[in-house]
Amino acid sequence: MKFNEAVSSSRRKSRKVSNSNSNQVPSFRSLSLPLSPWRAPVSSLVFSCPADPDDDDINSCSVASFPSTFFSSSLLPDQSHFTAPSHIRRKLMSAPLSAELRAKYNVRSVPIRKDDEVQVVRGTFKNREGKVMQVYRRKWVIHIERITRERVNGATVNVGIDPSKVVITKLKVDKNRKELLDRKKGSKEEKGKGKFTEAEVQAMQDVD
């Protein structure tokens, strides 16, 4: 059923009610309509319409109240995060650079990859260092050498570490990584963090 047809049918029903009780003309009416684009039934909306039951202009109606579940759920960001494809997870699984590397490359963080050397800065394994053995994007963790635990059956397994809990102390630099660092450094220099140069400051002083 189309939107206009549904509105017309609901108005015909409201006219019958108004004719049976002409002394009471409702100013708020609930329209029984199909699902809305906001993923909530429009039947749960309360529309404020003119008191004249013969007025069929839908433009004269406005939404008077919204149900608590009318808008998008707060779980949708979590859903988009945990269902992200691998190429998106690569960017989300970025790690900050150490102070030395940040000063050298003028870059704050990069997507972590295998063979990078990292240091754990938070958690149970704080201050432990090692080389990244695997970037396990499916579980949003990385595996670092010498950070393991023993299972009940005696097997030794790697412990997953969140990339946000480490800092990169040594980069595995290849052709693609170097291009990435150059791009990030170039974009950062173009932005300039909104600071004025000495020439611009001097020009503003001359204007005064």
Side-chain angles (χ1 to χ4, degrees), residues 143-158:
H143 293 159
I144 305 173
E145 63 178 1
R146 297 189 300 275
I147 297 183
T148 58
R149 67 177 181 86
E150 289 188 2
R151 302 182 68 176
V152 178
N153 59 5
T156 302
V157 295
N158 295 309

Side-chain angles (χ1 to χ4, degrees):
M1 180 182 295
K2 295 183 180 179
F3 182 84
N4 294 333
E5 296 177 356
V7 171
S8 300
S9 62
S10 62
R11 288 192 175 279
R12 285 194 294 269
K13 294 179 183 178
S14 63
R15 287 172 188 164
K16 294 180 181 179
V17 174
S18 61
N19 291 333
S20 60
N21 190 0
S22 58
N23 295 329
Q24 297 178 358
V25 179
S27 59
F28 294 95
R29 301 171 189 152
S30 297
L31 305 180
S32 300
L33 302 176
L35 289 179
S36 70
W38 296 278
R39 303 181 181 180
V42 181
S43 58
S44 59
L45 300 179
V46 176
F47 287 83
S48 175
C49 299
D52 184 7
D54 296 330
D55 188 2
D56 288 337
D57 186 11
I58 187 61
N59 296 323
S60 60
C61 297
S62 61
V63 178
S65 64
F66 296 88
S68 59
T69 59
F70 183 73
F71 295 100
S72 298
S73 172
S74 60
L75 298 177
L76 290 180
D78 292 340
Q79 181 183 6
S80 62
H81 176 82
F82 289 106
T83 58
S86 180
H87 71 284
I88 300 297
R89 296 190 181 208
R90 170 186 168 273
K91 293 183 179 181
L92 295 177
M93 294 178 66
S94 297
L97 301 182
S98 62
E100 295 80 7
L101 293 179
R102 190 180 302 180
K104 179 180 179 180
Y105 296 105
N106 196 21
V107 175
R108 182 179 180 85
S109 62
V110 294
I112 198 165
R113 58 158 292 176
K114 185 180 178 181
D115 294 333
D116 284 342
E117 293 186 11
V118 298
Q119 178 183 3
V120 183
V121 294
R122 289 191 302 277
T124 306
F125 303 97
K126 184 178 179 179
N127 296 328
R128 297 279 294 274
E129 297 183 4
K131 184 179 290 187
V132 178
M133 302 175 58
Q134 182 186 16
V135 180
Y136 200 174
R137 295 179 186 172
R138 183 175 181 181
K139 292 190 175 181
W140 300 90
V141 296
I142 60 174
H143 293 159
I144 305 173
E145 63 178 1
R146 297 189 300 275
I147 297 183
T148 58
R149 67 177 181 86
E150 289 188 2
R151 302 182 68 176
V152 178
N153 59 5
T156 302
V157 295
N158 295 309
V159 177
I161 304 294
D162 192 281
S164 64
K165 294 185 178 181
V166 304
V167 293
I168 301 175
T169 57
K170 185 176 180 181
L171 286 170
K172 171 68 175 178
V173 180
D174 55 7
K175 180 180 178 181
N176 295 331
R177 202 69 173 282
K178 190 174 185 306
E179 292 177 355
L180 173 65
L181 292 172
D182 292 340
R183 287 198 308 269
K184 291 175 73 70
K185 181 180 179 180
S187 62
K188 190 173 182 180
E189 290 178 350
E190 290 177 0
K191 292 179 182 178
K193 292 186 176 180
K195 296 182 179 179
F196 294 103
T197 61
E198 294 181 0
E200 292 174 343
V201 173
Q202 186 65 29
M204 287 187 289
Q205 291 178 353
D206 295 341
V207 171
D208 297 335

